[in-house]
Amino acid sequence: MLTTIIRVAILYLFVTIAIRIMGKRNIGELQPTELVITLLLSEFASIPIEDNSVPLINSLIPVMLLISFEIINSVISMKSIKFRNLSDGNPVVIIKNGKLDQQQLRKLRFTVDDVLSGLRQKDVFDINEVEYAIIETNGTLSVLLKPENQNATKKDVKAKLKNDGFTCPIIIDGVIVKQNLNSCGLTKDDIKKMLEKKNVHKKDIFLMNVDKNRNTEIILKE
């Protein structure tokens, strides 16, 4: 009995440290790769608890390998947009300008009930109030309401409603996100002109957002 308690305590501390090393994001909304790692961690940790004849090291080594794989995956994802898209996928717009994109729903295998349920969880009970809705890579739903349905702030009380639409991340880590160009009605030439106007090189940009009125927000690499 004492042996089991000691083994459980060791594995508990080891797995807890492993999850903290992989990052706080694993505790909240999990990406597909993070979910796989978490499931495998629990599986490997349970083996020596169920059978005391199994050496503890048989679980500790796989756990350390999984941590290494996740760290390597995270580093590559930070450096490569293509790899990040391959491992985590891309956000998908399912409501655009207040209209459901049925083709995207079929690709995601989402039903209308799934969408309505997701909207209700965002305190939205009328789909006509929605300007944009996006399924994020972790499966959560992000919602942008139409201007007239958004909560007013002190700044908005005496101001005219202004809708700059969906802000597109056009450049991430110095690389143009091609799939977002069509969504925002932009071309590479448009981006080139914007950069020339701002006197900024693409490789120096950490993040560049563009709204429907072609207003830009640029964050340079540090």
Side-chain angles (χ1 to χ4, degrees):
M1 184 65 179
L2 181 60
T3 302
T4 301
I5 294 174
I6 293 173
R7 289 162 73 93
V8 170
I10 293 173
L11 285 168
Y12 172 77
L13 291 173
F14 198 78
V15 173
T16 300
I17 293 171
I19 292 176
R20 291 299 301 271
I21 289 174
M22 289 190 296
K24 291 185 177 180
R25 190 171 58 156
N26 292 270
I27 301 173
E29 302 293 346
L30 299 178
Q31 298 290 351
T33 54
E34 296 165 345
L35 178 60
V36 170
I37 294 293
T38 304
L39 293 174
L40 289 175
L41 280 175
S42 62
E43 184 66 25
F44 285 127
S46 66
I47 295 174
I49 295 175
E50 296 172 353
D51 186 356
N52 285 344
S53 65
V54 177
L56 200 57
I57 194 68
N58 286 8
S59 283
L60 298 183
I61 290 177
V63 169
M64 287 188 287
L65 285 173
L66 288 174
I67 297 172
S68 301
F69 292 154
E70 176 57 24
I71 292 174
I72 291 170
N73 178 75
S74 299
V75 171
I76 296 175
S77 294
M78 290 175 64
K79 300 296 182 180
S80 172
I81 292 179
K82 289 184 179 179
F83 183 82
R84 184 162 66 240
N85 291 341
L86 180 64
S87 62
D88 297 337
N90 297 304
V92 178
V93 178
I94 59 171
I95 299 178
K96 186 175 182 180
N97 296 324
K99 294 183 179 180
L100 274 170
D101 190 328
Q102 298 182 35
Q103 184 177 356
Q104 294 293 1
L105 289 180
R106 284 193 290 269
K107 288 181 179 179
L108 294 171
R109 297 188 296 279
F110 266 48
T111 66
V112 175
D113 287 335
D114 292 330
V115 177
L116 295 178
S117 174
L119 291 176
R120 287 194 295 271
Q121 292 177 45
K122 296 290 184 179
D123 297 325
V124 179
F125 292 85
D126 186 351
I127 198 170
N128 293 314
E129 296 178 0
V130 179
E131 183 78 11
Y132 288 95
I134 303 168
I135 300 295
E136 304 293 353
T137 56
N138 56 20
T140 58
L141 180 68
S142 299
V143 178
L144 174 66
L145 297 176
K146 293 179 179 177
E148 61 269 24
N149 299 119
Q150 296 176 12
N151 293 329
T153 63
K154 292 180 180 179
K155 185 177 180 180
D156 296 328
V157 172
K158 295 182 180 181
K160 293 182 179 180
L161 290 173
K162 181 181 178 182
N163 178 21
D164 290 328
F166 173 54
T167 300
C168 296
I170 294 297
I171 297 178
I172 299 177
D173 289 338
V175 179
I176 294 177
V177 185
K178 295 179 181 178
Q179 59 264 33
N180 287 347
L181 289 177
N182 292 333
S183 300
C184 293
L186 296 168
T187 65
K188 287 186 177 181
D189 287 336
D190 294 328
I191 303 304
K192 184 178 179 181
K193 291 177 182 177
M194 291 178 183
L195 295 180
E196 288 177 349
K197 186 176 180 180
K198 297 285 185 179
N199 195 26
V200 177
H201 293 288
K202 180 179 66 175
K203 64 179 181 180
D204 297 327
I205 296 177
F206 181 70
L207 174 64
M208 175 177 172
N209 291 326
V210 182
D211 63 29
K212 75 171 186 179
N213 294 322
R214 302 204 172 187
N215 297 317
T216 61
E217 178 189 11
I218 296 176
I219 300 175
L220 297 177
K221 293 180 180 179
E222 295 181 351

